Amino acid sequence: MKKANFEVHTSFISPWTWANLVEKNNQLPILAIRCISGSRLIGKFQDSSIHFKELAPSNELYRAKRDNLIDLHEFQRRYILELLDNINFSNIVDRFNKLYEVSGASGVIIFGYGSDDEKCHRSVLADILNKTGLFRNNITEIIL
């Protein structure tokens, strides 16, 4: 198990963040979003090596939150359980490492759709990834 030797941050996906973080600053995008096929901006990356849909909440969990069937706290609790039950974080770091090495990127950005990271799954994901100790830095949101 190899530790990530590069900076990792989170951000929301938008044309502006893509242009400035990915295109201008050479950050490797990781799309932690379940379904992106309908997006004009990132749809072409559906099922590609940078599409880590397994890091996104399940469709059922996402819909429960969207439809206000559960509150934010319950969403976060269930999302943590989904991640812990289904993700091998060592494998995720290995995949990040391989992509980083071949991309020549200056760092990694984990993208989600929510503009408020505290209400988006990526804040929970960053917290869990930080607790693994597999990353060089404490993963934080890039404030734009």
Side-chain angles (χ1 to χ4, degrees), residues 28-70:
L28 172 68
I30 298 296
L31 305 172
I33 305 166
R34 181 75 47 187
C35 182
I36 61 174
S37 61
S39 170
R40 284 184 286 189
L41 179 62
I42 58 174
K44 64 186 174 192
F45 298 109
Q46 177 79 29
D47 298 324
S48 73
S49 59
I50 65 169
H51 186 204
F52 283 66
K53 62 185 168 193
E54 69 270 30
L55 295 180
S58 65
N59 289 330
E60 298 77 22
L61 182 57
Y62 170 76
R63 286 185 195 112
K65 178 186 170 204
R66 178 196 68 195
D67 297 341
N68 294 316
L69 300 174
I70 59 174

Short mmCIF file of all heavy atoms in Angstrom, two decimals, residues 28-70:
data_model
loop_
_atom_site.label_atom_id
_atom_site.label_comp_id
_atom_site.label_asym_id
_atom_site.label_seq_id
_atom_site.Cartn_x
_atom_site.Cartn_y
_atom_site.Cartn_z
N LEU A 28 -5.50 17.10 -11.67
CA LEU A 28 -6.14 15.88 -12.15
C LEU A 28 -7.55 15.82 -11.57
O LEU A 28 -7.71 15.78 -10.35
CB LEU A 28 -5.35 14.65 -11.72
CG LEU A 28 -6.01 13.30 -11.99
CD1 LEU A 28 -6.10 13.02 -13.48
CD2 LEU A 28 -5.24 12.19 -11.28
N PRO A 29 -8.59 15.83 -12.42
CA PRO A 29 -9.95 15.76 -11.88
C PRO A 29 -10.34 14.32 -11.54
O PRO A 29 -10.09 13.40 -12.30
CB PRO A 29 -10.80 16.28 -13.05
CG PRO A 29 -10.03 15.89 -14.27
CD PRO A 29 -8.56 15.98 -13.87
N ILE A 30 -10.92 14.16 -10.38
CA ILE A 30 -11.54 12.90 -9.96
C ILE A 30 -13.02 13.21 -9.78
O ILE A 30 -13.38 14.07 -8.98
CB ILE A 30 -10.93 12.36 -8.65
CG1 ILE A 30 -9.44 12.05 -8.82
CG2 ILE A 30 -11.71 11.15 -8.15
CD1 ILE A 30 -9.10 10.97 -9.81
N LEU A 31 -13.85 12.55 -10.54
CA LEU A 31 -15.28 12.83 -10.54
C LEU A 31 -15.98 11.84 -9.61
O LEU A 31 -16.25 10.71 -9.98
CB LEU A 31 -15.83 12.75 -11.96
CG LEU A 31 -15.10 13.65 -12.96
CD1 LEU A 31 -15.57 13.37 -14.38
CD2 LEU A 31 -15.28 15.11 -12.61
N ALA A 32 -16.26 12.29 -8.39
CA ALA A 32 -16.92 11.45 -7.38
C ALA A 32 -18.42 11.72 -7.46
O ALA A 32 -19.05 12.19 -6.52
CB ALA A 32 -16.38 11.74 -5.99
N ILE A 33 -18.97 11.46 -8.64
CA ILE A 33 -20.35 11.75 -8.97
C ILE A 33 -20.94 10.50 -9.62
O ILE A 33 -20.31 9.93 -10.52
CB ILE A 33 -20.44 12.95 -9.93
CG1 ILE A 33 -19.73 14.18 -9.34
CG2 ILE A 33 -21.89 13.26 -10.28
CD1 ILE A 33 -19.48 15.29 -10.33
N ARG A 34 -22.11 10.10 -9.18
CA ARG A 34 -22.70 8.84 -9.68
C ARG A 34 -22.98 8.91 -11.18
O ARG A 34 -22.52 8.10 -11.95
CB ARG A 34 -23.97 8.53 -8.89
CG ARG A 34 -24.68 7.28 -9.26
CD ARG A 34 -24.08 5.99 -8.81
NE ARG A 34 -23.69 6.00 -7.42
CZ ARG A 34 -23.02 5.02 -6.85
NH1 ARG A 34 -22.68 3.96 -7.54
NH2 ARG A 34 -22.65 5.08 -5.60
N CYS A 35 -23.78 9.86 -11.61
CA CYS A 35 -24.19 9.92 -13.01
C CYS A 35 -23.78 11.26 -13.61
O CYS A 35 -24.23 12.31 -13.16
CB CYS A 35 -25.70 9.72 -13.13
SG CYS A 35 -26.25 9.73 -14.84
N ILE A 36 -22.96 11.19 -14.63
CA ILE A 36 -22.50 12.41 -15.28
C ILE A 36 -22.82 12.42 -16.78
O ILE A 36 -22.49 13.38 -17.47
CB ILE A 36 -20.98 12.62 -15.07
CG1 ILE A 36 -20.18 11.47 -15.67
CG2 ILE A 36 -20.67 12.82 -13.60
CD1 ILE A 36 -18.67 11.67 -15.62
N SER A 37 -23.46 11.38 -17.27
CA SER A 37 -23.67 11.24 -18.72
C SER A 37 -24.44 12.41 -19.32
O SER A 37 -24.24 12.75 -20.48
CB SER A 37 -24.37 9.93 -19.04
OG SER A 37 -25.63 9.87 -18.41
N GLY A 38 -25.33 13.05 -18.58
CA GLY A 38 -26.12 14.16 -19.10
C GLY A 38 -25.43 15.52 -19.03
O GLY A 38 -25.97 16.51 -19.52
N SER A 39 -24.23 15.57 -18.48
CA SER A 39 -23.53 16.84 -18.33
C SER A 39 -22.76 17.21 -19.59
O SER A 39 -21.95 16.43 -20.09
CB SER A 39 -22.55 16.76 -17.15
OG SER A 39 -21.71 17.90 -17.12
N ARG A 40 -22.99 18.43 -20.09
CA ARG A 40 -22.21 18.90 -21.24
C ARG A 40 -20.75 19.09 -20.87
O ARG A 40 -19.87 18.93 -21.69
CB ARG A 40 -22.78 20.20 -21.78
CG ARG A 40 -24.06 19.98 -22.57
CD ARG A 40 -24.54 21.25 -23.16
NE ARG A 40 -25.10 22.05 -22.07
CZ ARG A 40 -25.77 23.15 -22.22
NH1 ARG A 40 -25.96 23.63 -23.42
NH2 ARG A 40 -26.25 23.81 -21.19
N LEU A 41 -20.49 19.44 -19.62
CA LEU A 41 -19.13 19.72 -19.18
C LEU A 41 -18.31 18.45 -18.98
O LEU A 41 -17.17 18.36 -19.44
CB LEU A 41 -19.16 20.53 -17.87
CG LEU A 41 -17.82 20.91 -17.25
CD1 LEU A 41 -17.03 21.81 -18.19
CD2 LEU A 41 -18.04 21.60 -15.91
N ILE A 42 -18.87 17.45 -18.31
CA ILE A 42 -18.09 16.26 -17.95
C ILE A 42 -18.70 14.95 -18.42
O ILE A 42 -18.15 13.89 -18.14
CB ILE A 42 -17.85 16.20 -16.42
CG1 ILE A 42 -19.19 16.20 -15.66
CG2 ILE A 42 -16.93 17.34 -15.98
CD1 ILE A 42 -19.05 16.00 -14.16
N GLY A 43 -19.80 15.00 -19.15
CA GLY A 43 -20.47 13.79 -19.60
C GLY A 43 -19.59 12.84 -20.39
O GLY A 43 -19.75 11.62 -20.32
N LYS A 44 -18.66 13.39 -21.13
CA LYS A 44 -17.76 12.54 -21.94
C LYS A 44 -16.86 11.65 -21.09
O LYS A 44 -16.25 10.72 -21.60
CB LYS A 44 -16.92 13.40 -22.88
CG LYS A 44 -15.96 14.34 -22.16
CD LYS A 44 -15.27 15.27 -23.13
CE LYS A 44 -14.43 16.29 -22.39
NZ LYS A 44 -13.97 17.35 -23.28
N PHE A 45 -16.80 11.93 -19.79
CA PHE A 45 -15.94 11.14 -18.90
C PHE A 45 -16.70 10.01 -18.19
O PHE A 45 -16.12 9.32 -17.35
CB PHE A 45 -15.26 12.04 -17.87
CG PHE A 45 -14.35 13.06 -18.49
CD1 PHE A 45 -14.69 14.40 -18.49
CD2 PHE A 45 -13.15 12.68 -19.09
CE1 PHE A 45 -13.86 15.36 -19.06
CE2 PHE A 45 -12.32 13.62 -19.66
CZ PHE A 45 -12.67 14.96 -19.65
N GLN A 46 -18.00 9.84 -18.52
CA GLN A 46 -18.78 8.76 -17.92
C GLN A 46 -18.03 7.43 -18.09
O GLN A 46 -17.60 7.09 -19.19
CB GLN A 46 -20.16 8.66 -18.59
CG GLN A 46 -21.03 7.55 -18.10
CD GLN A 46 -21.72 7.86 -16.77
OE1 GLN A 46 -22.00 9.00 -16.45
NE2 GLN A 46 -21.98 6.84 -16.01
N ASP A 47 -17.83 6.73 -17.01
CA ASP A 47 -17.17 5.42 -16.98
C ASP A 47 -15.71 5.45 -17.43
O ASP A 47 -15.14 4.42 -17.77
CB ASP A 47 -17.96 4.38 -17.79
CG ASP A 47 -19.34 4.16 -17.22
OD1 ASP A 47 -19.49 4.19 -15.98
OD2 ASP A 47 -20.29 3.96 -18.01
N SER A 48 -15.09 6.62 -17.42
CA SER A 48 -13.66 6.71 -17.75
C SER A 48 -12.84 6.46 -16.48
O SER A 48 -13.37 6.30 -15.39
CB SER A 48 -13.34 8.09 -18.32
OG SER A 48 -13.38 9.07 -17.29
N SER A 49 -11.54 6.51 -16.61
CA SER A 49 -10.65 6.25 -15.47
C SER A 49 -10.73 7.33 -14.40
O SER A 49 -10.37 7.07 -13.25
CB SER A 49 -9.21 6.09 -15.94
OG SER A 49 -8.78 7.27 -16.61
N ILE A 50 -11.22 8.52 -14.73
CA ILE A 50 -11.33 9.58 -13.72
C ILE A 50 -12.73 9.62 -13.09
O ILE A 50 -12.98 10.42 -12.21
CB ILE A 50 -10.95 10.97 -14.27
CG1 ILE A 50 -11.90 11.44 -15.36
CG2 ILE A 50 -9.49 10.98 -14.73
CD1 ILE A 50 -11.74 12.90 -15.75
N HIS A 51 -13.61 8.77 -13.55
CA HIS A 51 -14.98 8.72 -13.02
C HIS A 51 -15.04 7.67 -11.90
O HIS A 51 -15.12 6.48 -12.15
CB HIS A 51 -15.97 8.38 -14.13
CG HIS A 51 -17.39 8.47 -13.70
ND1 HIS A 51 -18.39 7.78 -14.33
CD2 HIS A 51 -18.00 9.15 -12.69
CE1 HIS A 51 -19.54 8.04 -13.76
NE2 HIS A 51 -19.33 8.86 -12.75
N PHE A 52 -14.99 8.14 -10.67
CA PHE A 52 -15.02 7.29 -9.49
C PHE A 52 -16.43 7.30 -8.91
O PHE A 52 -16.66 7.75 -7.80
CB PHE A 52 -14.02 7.80 -8.45
CG PHE A 52 -12.59 7.46 -8.75
CD1 PHE A 52 -11.94 7.99 -9.85
CD2 PHE A 52 -11.88 6.61 -7.90
CE1 PHE A 52 -10.62 7.68 -10.10
CE2 PHE A 52 -10.55 6.30 -8.15
CZ PHE A 52 -9.92 6.83 -9.26
N LYS A 53 -17.38 6.75 -9.68
CA LYS A 53 -18.78 6.80 -9.25
C LYS A 53 -19.02 6.03 -7.97
O LYS A 53 -19.96 6.31 -7.23
CB LYS A 53 -19.72 6.34 -10.36
CG LYS A 53 -19.53 4.92 -10.81
CD LYS A 53 -20.44 4.63 -11.99
CE LYS A 53 -20.04 3.32 -12.62
NZ LYS A 53 -20.69 3.15 -13.91
N GLU A 54 -18.13 5.09 -7.65
CA GLU A 54 -18.28 4.33 -6.41
C GLU A 54 -18.04 5.19 -5.17
O GLU A 54 -18.40 4.81 -4.06
CB GLU A 54 -17.36 3.11 -6.40
CG GLU A 54 -15.87 3.43 -6.30
CD GLU A 54 -15.17 3.62 -7.64
OE1 GLU A 54 -15.80 4.07 -8.62
OE2 GLU A 54 -13.96 3.32 -7.69
N LEU A 55 -17.45 6.37 -5.36
CA LEU A 55 -17.23 7.29 -4.24
C LEU A 55 -18.43 8.21 -4.01
O LEU A 55 -18.44 8.98 -3.05
CB LEU A 55 -15.96 8.12 -4.45
CG LEU A 55 -14.65 7.34 -4.47
CD1 LEU A 55 -13.48 8.29 -4.70
CD2 LEU A 55 -14.46 6.54 -3.20
N ALA A 56 -19.40 8.14 -4.89
CA ALA A 56 -20.62 8.94 -4.75
C ALA A 56 -21.67 8.15 -3.98
O ALA A 56 -21.62 6.92 -3.94
CB ALA A 56 -21.15 9.31 -6.14
N PRO A 57 -22.62 8.85 -3.38
CA PRO A 57 -23.71 8.14 -2.71
C PRO A 57 -24.50 7.30 -3.72
O PRO A 57 -24.57 7.64 -4.90
CB PRO A 57 -24.59 9.27 -2.16
CG PRO A 57 -23.78 10.50 -2.24
CD PRO A 57 -22.75 10.30 -3.30
N SER A 58 -25.10 6.24 -3.24
CA SER A 58 -25.95 5.42 -4.11
C SER A 58 -27.11 6.27 -4.63
O SER A 58 -27.47 7.30 -4.04
CB SER A 58 -26.51 4.23 -3.33
OG SER A 58 -27.39 4.69 -2.31
N ASN A 59 -27.70 5.84 -5.73
CA ASN A 59 -28.85 6.55 -6.28
C ASN A 59 -29.98 6.65 -5.26
O ASN A 59 -30.62 7.70 -5.14
CB ASN A 59 -29.35 5.87 -7.56
CG ASN A 59 -28.39 6.04 -8.71
OD1 ASN A 59 -27.69 7.04 -8.80
ND2 ASN A 59 -28.35 5.07 -9.60
N GLU A 60 -30.21 5.58 -4.53
CA GLU A 60 -31.28 5.56 -3.53
C GLU A 60 -31.03 6.58 -2.43
O GLU A 60 -31.94 7.31 -2.03
CB GLU A 60 -31.44 4.16 -2.94
CG GLU A 60 -31.83 3.08 -3.92
CD GLU A 60 -30.67 2.60 -4.81
OE1 GLU A 60 -29.49 2.76 -4.43
OE2 GLU A 60 -30.96 2.09 -5.90
N LEU A 61 -29.81 6.64 -1.96
CA LEU A 61 -29.47 7.58 -0.90
C LEU A 61 -29.55 9.01 -1.40
O LEU A 61 -30.09 9.90 -0.73
CB LEU A 61 -28.08 7.27 -0.33
CG LEU A 61 -27.62 8.15 0.82
CD1 LEU A 61 -28.60 8.11 1.98
CD2 LEU A 61 -26.22 7.72 1.27
N TYR A 62 -29.03 9.25 -2.59
CA TYR A 62 -29.10 10.58 -3.17
C TYR A 62 -30.56 11.05 -3.31
O TYR A 62 -30.90 12.17 -2.94
CB TYR A 62 -28.41 10.61 -4.54
CG TYR A 62 -28.66 11.89 -5.28
CD1 TYR A 62 -28.01 13.07 -4.93
CD2 TYR A 62 -29.60 11.94 -6.31
CE1 TYR A 62 -28.28 14.25 -5.59
CE2 TYR A 62 -29.87 13.12 -6.98
CZ TYR A 62 -29.21 14.28 -6.61
OH TYR A 62 -29.47 15.45 -7.25
N ARG A 63 -31.41 10.17 -3.83
CA ARG A 63 -32.83 10.53 -4.00
C ARG A 63 -33.51 10.81 -2.67
O ARG A 63 -34.34 11.71 -2.57
CB ARG A 63 -33.56 9.43 -4.76
CG ARG A 63 -33.21 9.40 -6.22
CD ARG A 63 -34.04 8.36 -6.98
NE ARG A 63 -33.46 8.12 -8.28
CZ ARG A 63 -32.89 6.99 -8.65
NH1 ARG A 63 -32.87 5.95 -7.83
NH2 ARG A 63 -32.38 6.86 -9.84
N ALA A 64 -33.20 10.02 -1.65
CA ALA A 64 -33.79 10.24 -0.33
C ALA A 64 -33.43 11.63 0.20
O ALA A 64 -34.27 12.33 0.77
CB ALA A 64 -33.34 9.15 0.65
N LYS A 65 -32.20 12.04 -0.02
CA LYS A 65 -31.78 13.39 0.42
C LYS A 65 -32.44 14.46 -0.45
O LYS A 65 -33.00 15.43 0.07
CB LYS A 65 -30.25 13.51 0.33
CG LYS A 65 -29.74 14.89 0.71
CD LYS A 65 -28.25 15.01 0.46
CE LYS A 65 -27.79 16.44 0.61
NZ LYS A 65 -26.57 16.69 -0.13
N ARG A 66 -32.39 14.28 -1.75
CA ARG A 66 -32.97 15.25 -2.69
C ARG A 66 -34.46 15.48 -2.42
O ARG A 66 -34.95 16.60 -2.47
CB ARG A 66 -32.76 14.77 -4.12
CG ARG A 66 -33.37 15.68 -5.18
CD ARG A 66 -33.48 15.00 -6.51
NE ARG A 66 -34.48 13.93 -6.43
CZ ARG A 66 -34.63 12.97 -7.32
NH1 ARG A 66 -33.83 12.93 -8.38
NH2 ARG A 66 -35.54 12.04 -7.18
N ASP A 67 -35.16 14.39 -2.13
CA ASP A 67 -36.61 14.46 -1.92
C ASP A 67 -36.99 14.77 -0.48
O ASP A 67 -38.16 14.67 -0.11
CB ASP A 67 -37.25 13.15 -2.37
CG ASP A 67 -37.05 12.88 -3.86
OD1 ASP A 67 -36.75 13.83 -4.61
OD2 ASP A 67 -37.20 11.71 -4.26
N ASN A 68 -36.01 15.13 0.35
CA ASN A 68 -36.23 15.49 1.75
C ASN A 68 -36.87 14.37 2.57
O ASN A 68 -37.62 14.64 3.51
CB ASN A 68 -37.04 16.78 1.87
CG ASN A 68 -36.28 17.96 1.34
OD1 ASN A 68 -35.10 18.13 1.62
ND2 ASN A 68 -36.95 18.78 0.56
N LEU A 69 -36.57 13.13 2.21
CA LEU A 69 -37.05 12.00 3.00
C LEU A 69 -36.15 11.76 4.20
O LEU A 69 -36.57 11.11 5.17
CB LEU A 69 -37.12 10.74 2.13
CG LEU A 69 -38.05 10.85 0.91
CD1 LEU A 69 -37.93 9.60 0.05
CD2 LEU A 69 -39.48 11.11 1.35
N ILE A 70 -34.92 12.26 4.13
CA ILE A 70 -33.98 12.19 5.24
C ILE A 70 -33.30 13.54 5.38
O ILE A 70 -33.19 14.29 4.41
CB ILE A 70 -32.92 11.06 5.05
CG1 ILE A 70 -32.12 11.28 3.76
CG2 ILE A 70 -33.58 9.69 5.09
CD1 ILE A 70 -30.97 10.32 3.56
#
